[in-house]
Amino acid sequence: MPEPSPSRALIDVGRRFYSRNWVLATSGNFSAVISHSPLLLCITQSAAHKGTLTPRNFLTIDGSTRPVGRTTARPSAEASLHIEIVRARKAGAVLHTHSVWSTMLSDRHSAEGGLALQGFEMLKGLDGVTTHTHREWVPILENDQDMARLAGAMAGVLSDHPDAHGVLLRGHGLYTWGRTIAEAERHVEALEFLLETVGRQK
Amino acid sequence: MPEPSPSRALIDVGRRFYSRNWVLATSGNFSAVISHSPLLLCITQSAAHKGTLTPRNFLTIDGSTRPVGRTTARPSAEASLHIEIVRARKAGAVLHTHSVWSTMLSDRHSAEGGLALQGFEMLKGLDGVTTHTHREWVPILENDQDMARLAGAMAGVLSDHPDAHGVLLRGHGLYTWGRTIAEAERHVEALEFLLETVGRQK
Amino acid sequence: MPEPSPSRALIDVGRRFYSRNWVLATSGNFSAVISHSPLLLCITQSAAHKGTLTPRNFLTIDGSTRPVGRTTARPSAEASLHIEIVRARKAGAVLHTHSVWSTMLSDRHSAEGGLALQGFEMLKGLDGVTTHTHREWVPILENDQDMARLAGAMAGVLSDHPDAHGVLLRGHGLYTWGRTIAEAERHVEALEFLLETVGRQK
Amino acid sequence: MPEPSPSRALIDVGRRFYSRNWVLATSGNFSAVISHSPLLLCITQSAAHKGTLTPRNFLTIDGSTRPVGRTTARPSAEASLHIEIVRARKAGAVLHTHSVWSTMLSDRHSAEGGLALQGFEMLKGLDGVTTHTHREWVPILENDQDMARLAGAMAGVLSDHPDAHGVLLRGHGLYTWGRTIAEAERHVEALEFLLETVGRQK
């Protein structure tokens, strides 16, 4: 069962991420599932300031990213990535952040197509991981302004890496998700922490 | 149409920038256009603390940087740079920040006369930029305590680089602008993020 | 005499540590002694968010880590480490943080089995240290998901290093303690400061 | 004329410095002159938490660091350094911070006996400095737990460098001052900014 008012929880997420510099300059976007069948997603509107979100910065879209109900708001341009993730992972929430470390590392490791995280207790912040010896492969997708093509690439990488908890877009940032908004936020914190740690090690 | 009370919005900008260490030690200055013709600019007074601004820390100046109305306050010494930017870009707001990364990078790249930013999704935080493949050239001006000469140099660099969204002063910081205060703040966040990213990469 | 309401003080500690990124993604755990004989410990429950703790996120355990009183909450999986520390050091509070710098340095220096801190005035933040010439050896334990084995290793390292004020777990974070919650928090701040300083020096 | 209630202003300074990690673990100490002749100084008591100061964490001392009036509080162990600075510089306030960057740089440059800052606009945050071409020499004193000897060394370095706006203690932190608390705080912000900039450049 999704929470009654996902926008309220996402507003708090935005405030916390903004204070950590993870969603500067209206970057980032957030969504939470209202219904899986038919698919209805509460998502941030395009170009909203993520540190001062209000309920009016959210809208509901269907599985084709079409707005539902009376609204003049447009969903984030990356709404189709949210839809792919929700479908592939049965996720209840999808969070996209845009930190300095994820931007740098997604560029530095793009040639390898991903980045391995291993040996850190913080990996246990990821759903189902029970030991620091876990090896988490974070795939890196080439960035693309063609959203249909990027959504297809996202679907492909999610299928190729069924155990991945997050995906990086090169020079762009992190996508992660969870069954609930709280779990997705925990995944953001764990992955951003690990990326900063690996980034500073080199 | 400019907002009714630009000082209120600039007070909030100052509080946010101060918490991010972008305007320490009374550095930085902010302005917003009240009227384009004749030119009237609401600007921070000289040497004000940017984290705790009050309406009394602002004054109105004309296109010659002369205070308008009854005031004993002096405008920021850099008021003439604000005037040049407003004229050259038809800007509605000008924000000058003074971060560690902009200070370092403006010094490191001064010999090249500027700094290129390319390949980052965050570039789309800049007005009119629609793809990460955009190449943003951020010109660097030599710092100068002669304000008339520096204003002339600013006018020159704005003319030579009509597409630039910001200008660095060497060892000094960033000037950027926007049609509104919100757009100018978005430009600060995008450019400061990009400078930190490039600064950490090397 | 322990404070009347340790959970209230630990809630404030959590909020401060979360804002400093020392307990992201539900990492970290905190405890305070209610009674030394018999041993009763107020401790954070497993998987609680450390920035928004409430009294319901705490429970009381005995010296065998068994919950006391009516509760369905489970203590942190690392409760046995808290018990070992309280017994070995006669501590009144134990705080475990999980910062980027402690994660990095505990990995970098694991082969030496520890890390020396010397020459810093901040060492005087540690109980009983009166000069910057003090040499503080911070032992590093190999991380382990077998809690009984890890508790045994903790007991061993505390016995081998009777003067140590903190212990690092490799790739995991810092354990420190104090006679009071305030002293334990001071030890966290001093050690995290020193680890960041040493980490940036290299 | 000193402010009527210096402790109130110093409480706010402490809160801001603590949030920037400049006075962790009860490090740092602050004072403001109540009277120059006879010399009376309002100063933080020993070992107070600088982020949550209250009026009771302050006491008044005379020019021999002896408490004045009915108090059981002891002044900071470094009170004699404050007295030397107030006398040598006719200062109205003295602030001592303890940041990671000042700790690192005071160690790195100790063999040269100081550190030069030049070419930065932020130098104009220092009283009387009107151009970025100014060369600020920040002397570094060897740290010492013998306070009489350290106070003598401070008096010597202030006399040898009459234009210096601050002094570093090796592995310990920064001392700066001003005619008012606000000016001293501006000096802290300017010098800490410059130290971080120089520290990151290398």
Side-chain angles (χ1 to χ4, degrees), chain A residues 33 42 144 173 200:
Chain A
V33 171
C42 171
D144 196 334
R200 288 193 187 275

Side-chain angles (χ1 to χ4, degrees), chain C residues 143-199:
Chain C
N143 199 16
D144 196 334
Q145 300 304 327
D146 181 325
M147 280 301 131
R149 196 165 54 196
L150 190 57
M154 178 63 84
V157 84
L158 291 170
S159 170
D160 293 347
H161 300 278
D163 296 331
H165 292 82
V167 174
L168 288 167
L169 300 187
R170 182 179 180 186
H172 183 152
L174 173 70
Y175 269 89
T176 185
W177 53 84
R179 278 166 302 196
T180 61
I181 294 171
E183 185 177 274
E185 185 176 15
R186 200 184 74 220
H187 286 175
V188 169
E189 291 186 359
L191 290 168
E192 290 288 357
F193 175 95
L194 290 164
L195 292 170
E196 179 179 343
T197 300
V198 167

Side-chain angles (χ1 to χ4, degrees), chain D residues 44 53 62 93 100 105 117 161:
Chain D
T44 42
L53 289 169
D62 66 16
V100 165
L105 287 168
L117 301 168
H161 301 279

